[in-house]
Amino acid sequence: MFIDDVSLTLIAGNGGNGVVAFRHEKHVPLGGPSGGNGGRGGSVIFIGNDGLTTLLDLRYQKRIAAPHGENGAAKNQFGKDAKDIFIRVPIGTVVHDLKSNTIIADVTKHGQEVVICRGGKGGRGNYAFKTSRVTAPQVCEKGEPGEEREVRIELKVLADVGLVGFPNVGKSTLISIISAAKPRIGDYPFTTVAPNLGVVKVGDGRSFVVADLPGLIEGASAGAGLGFQFLRHIERTRLIVHVLDMGTIDRDPYQDYLKINHELMTYNKKLLLRPQIIVANKMDLPHSEERLEQLKKQVKDVDIIPISAYTKTNLDDLLYQIADKLDVVSLDQFQETIQEEVVEYRYRPEEPPFTITKDDDEVYHVTGRMIQKFFDVTDFTIDENVKLFARRIRNLGVDARLRELGVKHGDTVRVLDFEFEFLD
Ligand SMILES: Nc1nc2c(ncn2[C@@H]2O[C@H](COP(=O)(O)OP(=O)(O)OP(=O)(O)O)[C@@H](O)[C@H]2O)c(=O)[nH]1
Ligand SMILES: [Mg+2]
């Protein structure tokens, strides 16, 4: 719905492989293990940056991959860790994992780092497997694969300026003449049902983004009208421009002003700390001047800018005042008045280490998080490593469980997508 929304694939680097090696010493046949560990794969990390306002940098990318870790080497040399990839994203960036359909990150602060895809750990070389009993291990691990995710990235920072006010006061009319936005405008309440965004350029070159929001009514903070969800959007704007109708006979601008502020405050007390400007609109209509004088007496602490969106009067003054106000509201100050906690979620399903099911052909099938993890780091071309894999899954309790299920020596068992003979 809003400014930006991009989908792409992010891939962390694989860990480097560990190796099997032995020191060569004269007269010592196996001079002690010396295979080093692989290095860590690079992670893909998002970092909040308040200088960015769009996801444009990501728009034309389909895939971003971090480098792999280096393999270990003989003489117990560790492979180098790969460099992480840092992707700068604007504040308000929300990252959805498309596969699990969950939100995995919500970047709300400058400098906030969120690891989106974790680099794979390096595999251990045979030096790491040396124990007092096994002095010449032949085993090593492959590096773990880096995480890969399909993500949808959405920018939720709505705008610099939010236009608020009762329905029909002229919010959409205003945005339609100060920006290129083309909202529906109508002589009846609730013409606008979803926010419209417009980029406004000021005469001196400054620019800002304005959101025209659906009108609020009394009780909006409790869910009346279209209220509640749009109050959330107001929360994400830096400056509130409060539009009042000065010309329509049956409206009392001051009461309107109080009511809307009451709704804002009920929704989030801190919203009243957000800077406001009052736009006294419809100054082309009769009696508006008297009402303006009246309003100026009633509201003393907020700037009131009289305009007519209809006759396009005094709009330049309004835009300069908005731009000046925005210049002095720091983003930090704005974030302090956001109600939500800084959230940083990662999807961690509570999966069991393994599960055993029976396939259609009556073969037992072992799958699961830990099995996959051990599988990924095993180089099955090396006998010793296959044995290590077998030992590891036995330690998880897989063999015992298979035996309970009635599997006998020599039976076929499927582990992930591969078939093994069960040796008891
Ligand atoms: N006379 C006069 N009429 C105006 C002015 N600004 C807007 N209007 C009229 O007021 C009516 C409502 O305008 P909108 O811009 O749709 O109002 P809104 O605040 O966006 O209303 P909602 O979307 O329902 O919240 C339209 O008929 C506009 O033509 C103005 O400065 N003077
Ligand atoms: Mg409107």
Side-chain angles (χ1 to χ4, degrees):
M1 179 151 66
F2 301 132
I3 316 179
D4 258 343
D5 189 343
V6 300
S7 295
L8 71 166
T9 303
L10 301 172
I11 308 166
N14 300 335
N17 298 331
V19 294
V20 172
F22 290 95
R23 283 199 308 275
H24 293 288
E25 285 167 25
K26 268 186 188 158
H27 316 300
V28 186
L30 290 177
S34 73
N37 300 348
R40 207 178 48 80
S43 297
V44 179
I45 301 171
F46 280 14
I47 177 164
N49 185 298
D50 61 13
L52 294 175
T53 50
T54 67
L55 296 174
L56 224 65
D57 296 353
L58 294 173
R59 175 122 287 170
Y60 300 104
Q61 312 216 38
K62 279 280 147 275
R63 185 176 180 277
I64 298 176
H68 301 312
E70 233 176 50
N71 294 337
K75 297 188 188 158
N76 200 22
Q77 290 184 52
F78 283 32
K80 263 211 212 94
D81 288 346
K83 282 218 165 66
D84 295 328
I85 288 194
F86 286 89
I87 300 174
R88 296 182 317 148
V89 294
I91 312 299
T93 297
V94 177
V95 185
H96 302 260
D97 181 313
L98 290 179
K99 201 164 151 210
S100 63
N101 202 16
T102 47
I103 293 177
I104 53 169
D106 188 350
V107 180
T108 56
K109 282 211 148 81
H110 183 73
Q112 182 190 347
E113 289 183 17
V114 187
V115 178
I116 305 293
C117 296
R118 204 169 287 281
K121 271 209 308 234
R124 282 177 291 177
N126 68 336
Y127 179 80
F129 285 92
K130 186 181 147 191
T131 62
S132 52
R133 252 177 342 107
V134 186
T135 51
Q138 298 275 356
V139 291
C140 61
E141 289 169 331
K142 287 201 297 180
E144 254 175 28
E147 277 182 325
E148 174 169 346
R149 290 178 191 275
E150 308 251 338
V151 296
R152 188 163 70 81
I153 306 168
E154 188 188 30
L155 183 57
K156 279 216 310 207
V157 167
L158 230 193
D160 300 305
V161 178
L163 299 180
V164 306
F166 269 87
N168 230 22
V169 296
K171 300 180 295 299
S172 299
T173 310
L174 178 59
I175 200 174
S176 74
I177 52 176
I178 59 177
S179 78
K182 302 217 172 344
R184 272 184 37 211
I185 294 169
D187 196 11
Y188 51 93
F190 299 115
T191 311
T192 305
V193 294
N196 300 294
L197 291 177
V199 178
V200 177
K201 289 218 159 40
V202 189
D204 62 6
R206 287 178 292 177
S207 77
F208 51 83
V209 177
V210 175
D212 163 33
L213 298 161
L216 293 171
I217 54 172
E218 271 186 286
S221 57
L226 297 164
F228 202 74
Q229 50 174 317
F230 299 114
L231 283 163
R232 279 182 72 86
H233 296 314
I234 296 169
E235 206 173 31
R236 288 184 182 249
T237 61
R238 286 197 283 155
L239 172 69
I240 293 174
V241 169
H242 198 142
V243 185
L244 298 175
D245 180 339
M246 307 304 287
T248 305
I249 294 304
D250 54 358
R251 292 226 78 98
D252 178 340
Y254 183 57
Q255 287 307 318
D256 284 0
Y257 173 74
L258 295 180
K259 282 177 190 161
I260 296 286
N261 276 345
H262 179 76
E263 293 307 322
L264 297 180
M265 192 195 68
T266 312
Y267 176 71
N268 173 0
K269 272 204 282 297
K270 291 179 181 163
L271 271 181
L272 285 196
L273 301 175
R274 202 65 61 80
Q276 268 201 26
I277 288 181
I278 293 178
V279 167
N281 190 30
K282 308 202 186 180
M283 289 304 294
D284 54 291
L285 293 177
H287 307 296
S288 53
E289 285 297 342
E290 297 131 59
R291 290 171 159 212
L292 180 64
E293 289 319 307
Q294 176 81 9
L295 184 70
K296 280 181 176 163
K297 286 183 203 137
Q298 292 162 314
V299 182
K300 296 219 171 62
D301 50 348
V302 181
D303 293 332
I304 302 174
I305 303 161
I307 66 158
S308 164
Y310 184 69
T311 59
K312 305 188 181 162
T313 307
N314 208 26
L315 297 177
D316 274 353
D317 185 32
L318 171 63
L319 300 192
Y320 275 103
Q321 298 231 30
I322 291 176
D324 288 349
K325 262 260 166 30
L326 284 175
D327 280 346
V328 298
V329 195
S330 75
L331 214 54
D332 273 357
Q333 204 183 327
F334 150 67
Q335 261 133 29
E336 276 165 19
T337 56
I338 290 194
Q339 190 176 44
E340 300 157 285
E341 293 286 296
V342 174
V343 266
E344 193 175 313
Y345 334 68
R346 282 187 69 82
Y347 183 58
R348 279 210 191 80
E350 290 305 312
E351 275 180 60
F354 70 89
T355 9
I356 301 179
T357 51
K358 203 182 218 173
D359 287 345
D360 291 343
D361 56 359
E362 302 288 300
V363 171
Y364 283 104
H365 192 165
V366 186
T367 53
R369 177 169 55 92
M370 289 307 288
I371 307 289
Q372 184 71 53
K373 191 175 151 79
F374 289 146
F375 189 88
D376 288 338
V377 300
T378 304
D379 179 351
F380 284 90
T381 60
I382 304 173
D383 237 20
E384 290 297 327
N385 292 352
V386 181
K387 284 186 203 155
L388 176 66
F389 176 71
R391 258 197 323 274
R392 282 173 158 175
I393 70 171
R394 186 183 318 132
N395 291 341
L396 280 181
V398 172
D399 291 29
R401 182 77 192 117
L402 285 170
R403 233 173 270 125
E404 272 169 35
L405 290 166
V407 179
K408 303 251 154 20
H409 184 81
D411 286 353
T412 299
V413 172
R414 214 160 271 138
V415 178
L416 302 172
D417 293 333
F418 298 87
E419 290 186 351
F420 292 85
E421 198 177 334
F422 186 67
L423 303 174
D424 210 0

